[in-house]
Amino acid sequence: MQANLDNSRIAVLVPCYNEEVTVGKVVADFRRELPGAAVYVYDNNSTDRTAELAAAAGAVVVSEPRQGKGNVVRQMFRDIDADCYLMVDGDDTYPADAARALCGPILSGHADMTVGDRLSNGTYAEENKRAFHGFGNDLVRAMIKWIYGYAFDDVMTGYRAFSRAFVKTFPVLSDGFQIETELSIHAVDRRWRILDVPIVYRDRPEGSESKLSTFSDGAKVIMTIAGLFKNYRPMKFFGLIALLFLLLGLIAGIPVIAEFFRTGLVLRLPTAVLACALVFLCGLSLATGMILDSVAKVERKQWELAVNREMEHERAR
């Protein structure tokens, strides 16, 4: 199946910011592995020769002035038409020889998103020199598994392939490096077919520097998970908040109630008012969750119809 891929149906998407050390090799490698595929490099305000070297290597270079990887991916998904979209970072950490393994299930209709898994074979742990990145990946994976019930092998990888229907119905909300987390959560929540493909990871070559900030970008990723949790699972999100308010209300109110039954008096009036307020907030949170859950179900129905239209359009092409 992979040996007979129609490369003309594949678009290779390479978001780049100051990657002059590696971008030429990345473009050349993917043009060699997928001859006939279009390679697009979206230059995100680079101050070095990234755009020049990418064009010299044979890529279609597009400038994206809005800073941030999420903004770049949004514009890529809007601009480019293909049957399979292969997204890869321009830092030469992902092997081009895995491209067919990622694109094959998309073009054959067996998956909607394939994920280049750096973790299962241990190469990421061996090659990655940045502190806490492995811990952060594990934390995000654990949070997604707890919230959505799906265990990704590698949730933060930048090497993925997507079907046309996935790309054209994906609402990009993030503007930065949270985009990988958003893609993963969207795929799970919308029940797209996901396939993990183990790959060999290599760290950046000498002279190439990561743009990620471990703590600030990690905090943004966690906030993105919380925000998408609220949007995609409002009943569960506000139900947990309601449970917290209920527990706090019981902690504050039980001594007051016990004292009332013993003496017939409410001697701790401020505590009683606090307990009533907490229980009221519990009810308010539950009501909010039920209302937003109804809204989310309507939105999901509309999205399903949009996907069906996109797939009908794809079959008619």
Side-chain angles (χ1 to χ4, degrees):
M1 176 183 65
Q2 295 172 11
N4 299 316
L5 290 184
D6 182 357
N7 295 332
S8 64
R9 301 167 62 194
I10 301 172
V12 181
L13 315 183
V14 190
C16 278
Y17 173 64
N18 286 347
E19 298 289 3
E20 67 174 3
V21 175
T22 55
V23 68
K25 181 177 182 299
V26 170
V27 172
D29 286 350
F30 279 91
R31 292 190 69 204
R32 182 187 68 249
E33 290 295 327
L34 300 171
V39 180
Y40 298 87
V41 171
Y42 273 57
D43 179 43
N44 196 204
N45 299 319
S46 296
T47 56
D48 59 10
R49 300 172 61 216
T50 294
E52 176 187 344
L53 295 174
V60 177
V61 179
V62 180
S63 175
E64 172 49 58
R66 294 168 296 179
Q67 197 67 40
K69 186 174 182 180
N71 290 324
V72 175
V73 172
R74 181 187 297 108
Q75 199 59 44
M76 284 178 159
F77 284 2
R78 288 176 179 175
D79 290 347
I80 299 168
D81 285 319
D83 292 327
C84 175
Y85 298 76
L86 179 65
M87 187 171 72
V88 63
D89 293 338
D91 56 9
D92 195 31
T93 58
Y94 299 106
D97 56 16
R100 291 177 173 270
L102 287 163
C103 294
I106 302 294
L107 291 175
S108 66
H110 289 89
D112 300 294
M113 181 177 77
T114 54
V115 180
D117 167 25
R118 307 162 296 174
L119 304 180
S120 295
N121 58 18
T123 55
Y124 185 76
E126 293 174 1
E127 292 288 327
N128 180 47
K129 306 298 191 297
R130 286 154 286 180
F132 301 111
H133 278 216
F135 170 77
N137 204 325
D138 290 340
L139 175 62
V140 172
R141 289 167 61 206
M143 291 178 69
I144 292 176
K145 186 176 188 302
W146 177 71
I147 295 170
Y148 297 96
Y150 184 90
F152 276 96
D153 290 331
D154 185 358
V155 72
M156 302 296 290
T157 179
Y159 199 14
R160 302 167 186 255
F162 313 97
S163 67
R164 177 185 174 84
F166 183 103
V167 165
K168 295 305 181 183
T169 60
F170 173 59
V172 181
L173 304 177
S174 304
D175 58 6
F177 281 101
Q178 311 96 296
I179 184 65
E180 279 91 2
T181 304
E182 187 180 345
L183 285 163
S184 300
I185 291 176
H186 175 79
V188 172
D189 183 76
R190 295 307 195 235
R191 297 181 176 87
W192 288 110
R193 296 165 300 174
I194 305 167
L195 179 65
D196 291 299
V197 178
I199 62 168
V200 176
Y201 175 87
R202 54 180 178 262
D203 205 11
R204 284 174 171 267
E206 187 175 351
S208 175
E209 296 182 0
S210 173
K211 317 304 184 299
L212 283 171
S213 170
T214 300
F215 295 104
S216 64
D217 286 318
K220 290 177 182 177
V221 166
I222 292 174
M223 291 301 294
T224 296
I225 293 174
L228 293 174
F229 183 20
K230 174 180 65 69
N231 294 338
Y232 288 156
R233 296 283 195 274
M235 190 65 245
K236 186 174 182 179
F237 180 84
F238 285 99
L240 290 172
I241 294 176
L243 179 61
L244 175 61
F245 280 133
L246 178 61
L247 290 175
L248 292 175
L250 291 175
I251 291 171
I254 287 176
V256 176
I257 295 171
E259 188 176 56
F260 175 78
F261 279 117
R262 189 174 64 253
T263 66
L265 300 173
V266 178
L267 300 177
R268 305 179 186 180
L269 185 59
T271 304
V273 172
L274 174 62
C276 290
L278 289 169
V279 173
F280 174 78
L281 289 173
C282 167
L284 184 62
S285 295
L286 280 176
T288 301
M290 287 188 288
I291 293 170
L292 292 180
D293 189 59
S294 297
V295 173
K297 286 178 179 177
V298 172
E299 187 274 335
R300 187 185 297 274
K301 290 178 182 178
Q302 293 174 340
W303 179 86
E304 290 284 355
L305 292 173
V307 171
N308 290 339
R309 287 194 297 268
E310 179 59 38
M311 296 185 77
E312 286 291 335
H313 172 70
E314 186 174 344
R315 283 193 288 267
R317 291 175 67 211

